[in-house]
């Protein structure tokens, strides 16, 4: 009977994890370039079935099933990389990628360490020194991985292939980087991504850049709210299970023990 308490408890922890993911999505529903996340989980019976069928150990011999908690197993979060809706701004340096790929950003953290991050947030500006940067001041990189320097006093034209022209001269080409498998990317902050070990870069195919547009978050607010309601109901159900077990244990201890 007591094991049922742990089963309900893990269910509540899982629903809390799902709720945290959903609220983060909603908080960034208006964030340019944000990609929503989802939570995964496995039932105990599925985890047990994998363990029983595990042939990596000696077959037909007694072995421990390992450390497996009763109830649900909380898995890793995943990212939905589907494209968000485009919104026209009319600003030349507001850029949106059509198709797969990311802008490459020279990111510097608070410790002064510089690394390359990737984003779909194309809300860029030209700073006083003439460099194309993000709103946080990080440098946007060209197709050779170099900073993009422009004349801030001249008008710019950005073509679909990322080429930037000023006075009819090609000044730079904005780089678009893609990856073979997005499972080797992880969130860094709200709209940045960083590759992990095993990530392989590749040239973005069938991709283009639209000047004067921004790609907004791919979060569907109504869908997230409906999912939050389902999570809240599941959480309450597990609470009721714990309450029921508590009442049964109270009867077992205080009444049955007198017989």
């Amino acid at each position: 009977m007591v094991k049922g308490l742990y089963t309900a408890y893990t269910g509540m922890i899982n629903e809390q994890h799902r709720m945290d993911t959903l609220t983060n999505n909603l908080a960034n529903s208006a964030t340019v370039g944000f990609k929503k996340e989802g939570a995964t989980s496995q039932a105990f019976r599925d985890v047990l079935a994998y363990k029983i069928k595990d042939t990596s150990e000696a077959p037909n011999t007694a072995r421990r099933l390992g450390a497996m908690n009763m109830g649900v197993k909380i898995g890793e979060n995943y990212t939905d990389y589907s494209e968000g809706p485009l919104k026209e701004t009319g600003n030349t340096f507001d850029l949106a990628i059509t198709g797969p790929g990311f802008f490459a950003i020279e990111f510097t953290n608070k410790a002064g360490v510089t690394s390359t991050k990737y984003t779909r947030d194309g809300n860029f500006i030209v700073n006083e020194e003439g460099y194309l940067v993000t709103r946080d001041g990080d440098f946007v990189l060209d197709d050779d991985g170099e900073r993009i320097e422009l004349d801030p006093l001249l008008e710019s034209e950005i073509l679909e292939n990322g080429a930037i022209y000023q006075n009819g001269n090609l000044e730079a080409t904005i780089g678009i980087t893609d990856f073979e498998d997005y499972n080797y990317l992880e969130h860094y902050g709200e709209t940045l991504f960083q590759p992990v070990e095993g990530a392989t870069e590749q040239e973005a195919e069938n991709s283009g850049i639209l000047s004067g547009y921004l790609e907004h978050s791919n979060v569907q607010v109504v869908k997230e709210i409906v999912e939050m309601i389902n999570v809240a109901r599941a959480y309450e159900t597990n609470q009721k299970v714990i309450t029921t077990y508590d009442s049964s244990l109270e009867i077992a201890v205080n009444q049955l023990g007198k017989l």
Side-chain angles (χ1 to χ4, degrees), residues 20-71:
D20 291 341
T21 303
L22 292 170
T23 52
N24 182 64
N25 289 340
L26 282 177
N28 289 282
S29 61
T31 301
V32 176
F34 179 79
K35 300 301 179 185
K36 70 175 183 179
E37 291 186 303
T40 62
S41 61
Q42 286 180 288
F44 171 77
R45 63 183 181 183
D46 297 327
V47 179
L48 179 61
Y50 281 121
K51 185 65 178 178
I52 291 176
K53 295 179 181 180
D54 183 7
T55 58
S56 62
E57 301 181 26
N60 303 321
T61 57
R63 63 182 187 276
R64 296 181 180 274
L65 291 179
M68 291 191 300
N69 296 322
M70 302 296 291

Side-chain angles (χ1 to χ4, degrees), residues 1-11 70-71 238 241-242 245:
M1 179 182 293
V2 177
K3 291 182 179 179
L5 292 173
Y6 292 102
T7 301
Y9 166 74
T10 58
M70 302 296 291
N238 284 290
V241 171
I242 291 179
Y245 271 111

Side-chain angles (χ1 to χ4, degrees), residues 6-200:
Y6 292 102
T7 301
Y9 166 74
T10 58
M12 294 174 67
I13 293 296
N14 178 59
E15 299 307 329
Q16 181 63 56
H17 176 66
R18 293 176 61 197
M19 182 65 75
D20 291 341
T21 303
L22 292 170
T23 52
N24 182 64
N25 289 340
L26 282 177
N28 289 282
S29 61
T31 301
V32 176
F34 179 79
K35 300 301 179 185
K36 70 175 183 179
E37 291 186 303
T40 62
S41 61
Q42 286 180 288
F44 171 77
R45 63 183 181 183
D46 297 327
V47 179
L48 179 61
Y50 281 121
K51 185 65 178 178
I52 291 176
K53 295 179 181 180
D54 183 7
T55 58
S56 62
E57 301 181 26
N60 303 321
T61 57
R63 63 182 187 276
R64 296 181 180 274
L65 291 179
M68 291 191 300
N69 296 322
M70 302 296 291
V72 64
K73 175 186 177 183
I74 299 177
E76 298 179 353
N77 278 16
Y78 65 90
T79 302
D80 180 359
Y81 290 98
S82 62
E83 294 184 39
L86 301 182
K87 183 177 181 180
E88 186 175 5
T89 65
N91 187 344
T92 301
F93 295 107
D94 282 343
L95 307 176
I97 297 177
T98 58
F102 302 86
F103 297 111
I105 305 297
E106 184 182 298
F107 176 79
T108 303
N109 62 18
K110 294 182 180 180
V113 179
T114 300
S115 60
T116 302
K117 307 296 183 187
Y118 301 91
T119 184
R120 299 277 295 191
D121 180 3
N123 191 8
F124 303 140
I125 59 174
V126 176
N127 63 15
E128 296 178 353
E129 298 175 350
Y131 289 101
L132 186 64
V133 297
T134 66
R135 292 289 176 174
D136 294 325
D138 296 309
F139 296 98
V140 181
L141 303 180
D142 63 13
D143 52 358
D144 292 323
E146 302 294 334
R147 298 176 180 178
I148 298 175
E149 186 175 6
L150 304 170
D151 188 339
L153 300 180
L154 297 178
E155 292 188 1
S156 300
E157 180 184 7
I158 302 177
L159 304 184
E160 189 175 355
N161 62 358
I164 305 177
Y165 284 88
Q166 290 187 319
N167 277 347
N169 299 319
L170 177 62
E171 300 295 337
T173 300
I174 301 172
I176 301 180
T177 304
D178 199 13
F179 295 87
E180 288 185 1
D181 190 344
Y182 287 176
N183 288 322
Y184 291 97
L185 294 178
E186 65 179 9
H187 262 289
Y188 188 92
E190 295 178 349
T191 60
L192 295 178
F193 296 91
Q194 63 182 6
V196 298
E197 184 178 356
T200 303

